[in-house]
Amino acid sequence: MLNGKKILVGITGGISAYKTASLIRLLVKAGAEVKAVMSGAAKQFITPLTIATLSKNPVYTDFFNPENGEWHSHVKLGIWADLYVIAPATANTIAKITHGIADNLLLTTVLSARCKVMLAPAMDLDMYQNVVTQQNFNILKNRGFLFAEATEGELASGLSGKGRMAEPEDIFAEIEHYFAANQDFKDKKILITAGPTREKIDPVRFVSNYSTGKMGYAIAEELAERGGEVVLVSGPVDIKPKHANIHLINVESAQEMYNECINHFPKCDAAIMSAAVADYAPEKPATDKIKRQPGQNMVLNLVPNPDIAAQLGKIKTDKQILAGFALETENEQYNAQKKLESKNLDFIVLNSLNDKGAGFGFDTNKISIVYRNGKSESFALKPKTEVAKDIAAALLQLLN
Ligand code: C5P
């Protein structure tokens, strides 16, 4: 399964670095091509010679070879790798990665890596539980870093708790899983709407909402990463898609979003409507800037926008899956179910403004997925990148 895969292993200074030797053996045995990069502290725990011998490649530890001045390019390593696995990843290295610090070759390579980075944290239980470390984990998960989670057990300090690096076999399984699971949306084309829409009042003003597009973009990245071809129809947001499988179509108004969706949906296997489409638009946007009329109220006449999801629900074939979002403030389950039926959706992702840390602008979300048969699944508050995985799982199940 790992035949020909190029795996860069980063080793930082933790006692569990000795286990990384076994991980490298497993990877090489499975047919992967392995290169390793070590931090300065890592060399105190395991020798570069051991790692070089097992990986069958020279080990990179410094920016250049002091003997002949040969430059070790982090850019080249970052482009070479299909996956960069840092095991052990100490609290220090995790904090540095979180803040973009690049004071050794291992870290500069993180910044320039074009592949996914998987972290296998290893640290003492108090460091692990520390709120700073926990926040760093969340930030990195949200940025799409993968984790081979630490386990509970006896730690080098003699204490017992969570913080032990995952066993080499388990990290290996995560790596295999990444490459296997990776392609389960291959040959599937998915339309995703994301972000807010802007409805023009005049050339300089518009009606809109607080949507940032984070949820829709996270779903797009997840599906693209897993081999899907994504058509992302996006309102104005501050993020840019990263994956080459995402075909971005920028729109402004609900009408423009509608036109693109109607055009692309018939060629797609599924659509996920995560955009916060403005329900109304000014009836007649002024062609010139509207002047202030001192002392007078202003009335803005609004007319309904097309309901994109509902229209796609009408033209949907038996083979296509259509999913929507519902952001509710009251009678959440009931309203979601009603929306599901009226728009002819296959499932609806419900998030509530009543949940702390969920909804617009947050990096986290707390969702329930409600299905056509009335069944629903509730999930914990988690980074939107993880929520995207839950939504992908629901979609995949229905597509198959
Ligand atoms: O009816 P409501 O706006 O609450 O429905 C939310 C769902 O419908 C979301 O999936 C949203 O993207 C979609 N929607 C749409 N076009 C609209 C309004 C909502 O596609 N005009």
Side-chain angles (χ1 to χ4, degrees):
M1 165 112 49
L2 296 183
N3 227 349
K5 292 278 183 272
K6 297 189 183 85
I7 299 174
L8 181 63
V9 176
I11 308 172
T12 68
I15 193 76
S16 50
Y18 76 94
K19 292 200 227 169
T20 309
S22 307
L23 171 65
I24 292 174
R25 268 200 90 215
L26 290 170
L27 293 171
V28 170
K29 254 176 102 179
E33 208 181 318
V34 179
K35 288 185 182 179
V37 52
M38 296 171 76
S39 71
K43 289 188 278 181
Q44 313 282 338
F45 292 91
I46 190 161
T47 71
L49 180 61
T50 306
I51 299 300
T53 310
L54 291 171
S55 66
K56 305 186 197 297
N57 270 312
V59 171
Y60 302 87
T61 55
D62 300 300
F63 288 109
F64 59 89
N65 181 334
E67 275 160 29
N68 59 15
E70 185 196 352
W71 172 247
H72 296 150
S73 166
H74 53 93
V75 176
K76 265 195 200 153
L77 280 175
I79 292 174
W80 172 83
D82 295 321
L83 181 67
Y84 185 9
V85 183
I86 302 180
T90 57
N92 178 50
T93 288
I94 286 170
K96 286 182 176 179
I97 293 174
T98 309
H99 297 285
I101 294 171
D103 60 0
N104 63 35
L105 185 64
L106 182 144
L107 289 164
T108 47
T109 308
V110 172
L111 279 185
S112 49
R114 294 206 184 153
C115 61
K116 282 274 180 191
V117 180
M118 182 184 287
L119 302 172
M123 62 201 72
D124 200 50
L125 84 160
D126 294 303
M127 295 174 90
Y128 185 88
Q129 278 167 359
N130 193 294
V131 65
V132 175
T133 309
Q134 289 296 323
Q135 282 178 356
N136 289 342
F137 287 155
N138 272 340
I139 292 171
L140 292 178
K141 281 181 184 167
N142 222 6
R143 287 186 197 148
F145 280 71
L146 305 170
F147 277 75
E149 296 289 355
T151 58
E152 291 202 21
E154 200 181 311
L155 301 163
S157 59
L159 298 171
S160 197
K162 196 157 183 187
R164 260 173 81 104
M165 186 174 86
E167 293 305 315
E169 293 75 16
D170 296 327
I171 302 174
F172 179 77
E174 285 288 338
I175 295 170
E176 271 200 312
H177 176 74
Y178 168 72
F179 284 111
N182 211 11
Q183 294 307 305
D184 50 8
F185 278 90
K186 200 170 170 350
D187 300 325
K188 300 276 186 261
K189 189 167 176 176
I190 297 112
L191 172 70
I192 298 175
T193 64
T197 62
R198 283 181 183 173
E199 313 301 331
K200 269 202 171 91
I201 298 172
D202 69 14
V204 295
R205 305 181 179 96
F206 54 81
V207 176
S208 192
N209 57 64
Y210 290 116
S211 169
T212 56
K214 281 179 185 168
M215 192 63 251
Y217 276 64
I219 301 169
E221 294 292 345
E222 176 67 18
L223 300 185
E225 188 67 46
R226 288 160 67 168
E229 189 188 338
V230 176
V231 180
L232 177 60
V233 182
S234 172
V237 293
D238 285 337
I239 23 180
K240 294 223 163 1
K242 292 188 215 120
H243 204 288
N245 285 2
I246 302 176
H247 172 53
L248 175 69
I249 300 174
N250 285 308
V251 294
E252 239 183 52
S253 65
Q255 187 62 50
E256 286 168 16
M257 188 174 270
Y258 175 85
N259 295 346
E260 293 295 344
C261 289
I262 292 294
N263 179 19
H264 284 91
F265 184 57
K267 294 166 264 173
C268 290
D269 299 287
I272 302 181
M273 309 275 95
S274 74
V277 185
D279 289 324
Y280 296 91
E283 187 174 21
K284 282 198 193 91
T287 44
D288 294 311
K289 187 180 166 198
I290 299 170
K291 300 255 183 323
R292 181 155 45 102
Q293 306 289 341
Q296 278 184 31
N297 289 352
M298 185 189 161
V299 178
L300 196 58
N301 207 22
L302 298 173
V303 291
N305 269 329
D307 189 327
I308 307 168
Q311 195 53 37
L312 298 191
K314 282 191 186 131
I315 60 172
K316 183 177 80 148
T317 67
D318 290 347
K319 290 201 178 76
Q320 289 176 302
I321 302 297
L322 180 61
F325 271 71
L327 181 68
E328 300 293 336
T329 52
E330 54 183 332
N331 296 333
E332 294 145 358
Q333 195 80 24
Y334 174 76
N335 286 335
Q337 189 75 40
K338 254 180 58 183
K339 217 163 269 182
L340 181 74
E341 281 159 27
S342 69
K343 299 190 190 217
N344 193 22
L345 307 175
D346 296 284
F347 68 89
I348 196 158
V349 180
L350 169 64
N351 44 28
S352 160
L353 275 185
N354 298 330
D355 286 320
K356 237 177 127 193
F360 284 160
F362 291 103
D363 287 333
T364 48
N365 205 358
K366 188 172 182 304
I367 62 156
S368 303
I369 297 182
V370 184
Y371 294 92
R372 208 48 198 260
N373 58 10
K375 279 204 180 125
S376 82
E377 263 178 294
S378 294
F379 300 86
L381 182 75
K382 42 176 117 171
K384 284 185 173 165
T385 47
E386 298 293 309
V387 176
K389 292 191 170 79
D390 295 329
I391 295 169
L395 175 61
L396 192 65
Q397 200 190 334
L398 292 177
L399 275 173
N400 292 336

